[in-house]
Amino acid sequence: KGQNFLKIQNLVEGEVHDLHIPTINDFTFLKLLGKGASSVVYLVRHKQNCKLYALKQVDKTYITDFKKM
């Protein structure tokens, strides 16, 4: 399987499941919802289950500056 899968084990029943970790390619961007000083929020639709989500894109320099504090 692809690199975006994790093995998740149910410790009670001993079952192992694959968990897909979503990437940006799993979504279709529909609309810009808002812009801030350090981030942008988009309305996106998941390509497989067609559910709508708000996706927040945070500027990397803001995150690295915040970690230095």
Side-chain angles (χ1 to χ4, degrees):
K1 296 192 179 181
Q3 63 186 8
N4 297 324
F5 284 86
L6 285 178
K7 293 284 186 191
I8 303 298
Q9 185 173 7
N10 182 340
L11 297 176
V12 176
E13 298 179 16
E15 298 174 355
V16 177
H17 302 279
D18 287 332
L19 176 66
H20 176 72
I21 299 173
T23 66
I24 202 75
N25 297 325
D26 294 326
F27 298 93
T28 302
F29 286 76
L30 302 175
K31 183 178 181 180
L32 174 68
L33 295 177
K35 263 184 156 177
S38 62
S39 63
V40 180
V41 180
Y42 297 98
L43 177 64
V44 296
R45 182 183 312 274
H46 193 271
K47 291 179 181 177
Q48 285 187 340
N49 64 20
C50 295
K51 289 186 179 180
L52 295 175
Y53 296 94
L55 185 139
K56 186 173 189 177
Q57 178 183 359
V58 181
D59 185 16
K60 186 175 180 178
T61 56
Y62 175 78
I63 294 172
T64 55
D65 290 346
F66 185 75
K67 285 184 177 180
K68 291 178 185 177
M69 293 180 162

